């Protein structure tokens, strides 16, 4: 059964057309999967550097991971229970020469060749902070004060085909992760929520902060979403891009001891660490900038250009 493609509002459809016409985005033919033209990518890279610099100046260590996740790790996080509709698994051919020939023949005529594919040990990355937790756990007990990690702008995949240019199937999520004592983690999240808000406003964006919930799956998911909201576990920075609703350009998640327990992350005193993460959506922020200041970054205000554009000049 083919997945339903979410339609776009007239405003979203117009923005997508303008972005493609200007060469900022490059169509792949699949909704929500785009290449980036030079100008789009230059702003995105400027943003990536700026976010990493902000984190480094506040003590973050830099870790980088590939855009695939060991399947075993995904299975441990509970993601498949909460978001079975968003996960992307990687399959590969396993079979005989005759089956390979059959597969190639069917593929050449665009018929179903899935029966020759078996699941591999990796999946696409669903959230860029996931590989951070087992990596930190493997280092042994944390030093007092815990750790702050900049996981960078990594590709993540969410299977939600849409014609809204701000809702992509594959995009860069810049994750900052704090792991430590409960009070320190909570304080970090509050501090970065404010810093994130000020940062987006300093770009001239009409940003505001709100509590939110994840798009949990099914009936049980509606309960999870209500609990998440009631406990203030998720905050979002919302910016208008293309109507009708403002778009979440960053989200702040407080996981309490979920990942600490799952991956066995211990504090200096041997108790379980708390974690929080902050994910900036690179492409959504670039879209918000293009929508707010115009599709030609050369014509943006000089102060903004000097932060996100002129570094390559
Ligand atoms: Zn995260």
């Amino acid at each position: 059964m083919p997945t339903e493609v979410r339609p776009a509002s007239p405003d979203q459809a117009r923005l997508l057309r303008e972005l493609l016409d200007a060469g900022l985005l490059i169509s792949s033919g699949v909704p929500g999967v785009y290449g980036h033209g030079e100008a789009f990518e230059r702003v995105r890279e400027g943003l990536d550097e700026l976010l990493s610099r902000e984190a480094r100046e506040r003590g973050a260590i830099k870790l980088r991971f590939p855009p695939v996740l060991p399947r075993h790790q995904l299975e441990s996080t509970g993601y498949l229970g909460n978001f079975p509709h968003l996960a992307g698994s990687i399959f590969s051919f396993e079979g005989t020469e005759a089956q390979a020939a059959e597969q190639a023949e069917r593929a050449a005529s665009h018929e179903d060749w899935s029966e020759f594919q078996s699941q591999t040990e990796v999946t696409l990355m669903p959230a860029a902070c996931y590989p951070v937790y087992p990596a930190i756990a493997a280092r042994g007990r944390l030093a007092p004060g815990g750790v702050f990690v900049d996981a960078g702008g990594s590709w993540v995949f969410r299977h939600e085909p849409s014609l809204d240019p701000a809702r992509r199937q594959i995009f860069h999520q810049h994750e900052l992760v704090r792991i430590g004592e409960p009070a320190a983690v909570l304080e970090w999240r509050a501090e970065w929520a404010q810093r994130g808000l000020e940062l987006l406003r300093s770009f001239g964006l009409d940003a505001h902060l709100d509590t939110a919930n994840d798009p949990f799956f099914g009936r049980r998911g509606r309960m999870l979403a209500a609990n998440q909201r009631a406990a203030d576990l998720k905050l979002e920075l919302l910016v208008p891009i293309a109507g009708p609703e403002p778009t979440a350009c960053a989200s702040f998640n407080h996981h309490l001891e979920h990942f600490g327990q799952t991956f066995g992350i211990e504090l200096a005193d041997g108790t379980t660490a708390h974690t929080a993460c902050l994910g900036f959506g690179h492409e959504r922020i670039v879209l918000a900038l293009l929508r707010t200041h115009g599709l030609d970054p050369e014509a943006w205000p000089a102060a903004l250009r000097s932060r996100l554009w002129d570094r390559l000049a």
Side-chain angles (χ1 to χ4, degrees):
M1 196 174 68
T3 310
E4 218 174 287
V5 179
R6 262 200 228 198
S9 72
D11 193 22
Q12 291 162 354
R14 188 173 344 112
L15 176 61
L16 178 58
R17 220 165 30 243
E18 287 171 1
L19 292 163
L20 294 170
D21 288 349
L24 288 156
L25 294 186
I26 301 160
S27 170
S28 72
V30 175
V33 180
Y34 304 102
H36 296 164
E38 191 171 336
F40 191 102
E41 188 62 7
R42 183 161 149 182
V43 176
R44 191 196 68 76
E45 285 176 352
L47 178 65
D48 184 70
E49 278 180 24
L50 186 148
L51 291 170
S52 283
R53 197 168 53 241
E54 289 275 328
R56 190 170 59 244
E57 284 168 2
R58 288 161 183 90
I61 56 165
K62 181 173 176 173
L63 301 180
R64 293 293 182 269
F65 298 94
V68 292
L69 190 68
R71 176 156 59 102
H72 191 267
Q73 283 178 20
L74 182 78
E75 290 162 358
S76 302
T77 59
Y79 191 84
L80 290 171
N82 294 336
F83 312 107
H85 56 311
L86 299 180
S89 318
I90 299 181
F91 285 66
S92 187
F93 174 75
E94 224 171 89
T96 63
E97 273 188 56
Q99 288 169 326
E102 172 77 19
Q103 173 177 263
E105 199 174 305
R106 286 201 214 163
S109 49
H110 304 297
E111 287 166 23
D112 184 6
W113 45 280
S114 58
E115 70 176 89
F116 305 109
Q117 297 282 306
S118 316
Q119 192 165 25
T120 66
E121 68 277 21
V122 287
T123 69
L124 292 169
M125 187 63 73
C129 63
Y130 279 8
V132 172
Y133 309 111
I136 294 299
R139 294 180 169 196
R141 278 191 185 179
L142 294 173
V147 65
F148 174 13
V149 176
D150 165 28
S154 180
W155 284 110
V156 300
F157 176 83
R158 308 261 168 91
H159 187 232
E160 46 180 354
S162 166
L163 296 171
D164 172 5
R167 185 168 298 280
R168 296 173 42 151
Q169 297 202 61
I170 186 153
F171 55 93
H172 290 89
Q173 189 183 49
H174 199 127
E175 281 265 8
L176 305 179
V177 183
R178 183 74 169 92
I179 304 176
E181 291 82 1
V185 168
L186 204 55
E187 192 183 317
W188 177 89
R189 193 183 72 146
E191 183 191 314
W192 273 90
Q194 202 50 41
R195 179 167 297 121
L197 182 64
E198 282 162 16
L199 188 73
L200 294 189
R201 285 183 175 166
S202 77
F203 294 159
L205 301 178
D206 179 18
H208 73 273
L209 190 65
D210 205 353
T211 54
N213 60 262
D214 281 310
F216 294 108
F217 183 78
R219 193 148 36 118
R220 175 177 154 273
R222 282 193 288 281
M223 210 173 67
L224 288 173
N227 289 343
Q228 192 181 30
R229 262 185 193 277
D232 258 0
L233 295 179
K234 189 180 187 73
L235 304 175
E236 283 179 343
L237 282 175
L238 301 164
V239 182
I241 297 179
E245 304 291 328
T247 301
C249 287
S251 71
F252 307 75
N253 294 283
H254 188 203
H255 319 112
L256 303 168
E257 52 188 22
H258 174 68
F259 288 117
Q261 219 153 45
T262 301
F263 294 106
I265 312 175
E266 286 184 353
L267 294 170
D269 66 3
T271 58
T272 301
H274 277 213
T275 66
C277 73
L278 156 50
F280 287 98
H282 280 179
E283 283 82 358
R284 286 184 172 182
I285 297 174
V286 177
L287 288 181
L289 287 164
L290 292 164
R291 202 75 210 265
T292 304
H293 300 293
L295 298 189
D296 178 11
E298 285 288 355
W300 287 0
L304 182 62
R305 267 199 338 259
S306 73
R307 293 168 76 197
L308 294 174
W309 181 258
D310 290 342
R311 74 193 207 294
L312 294 180

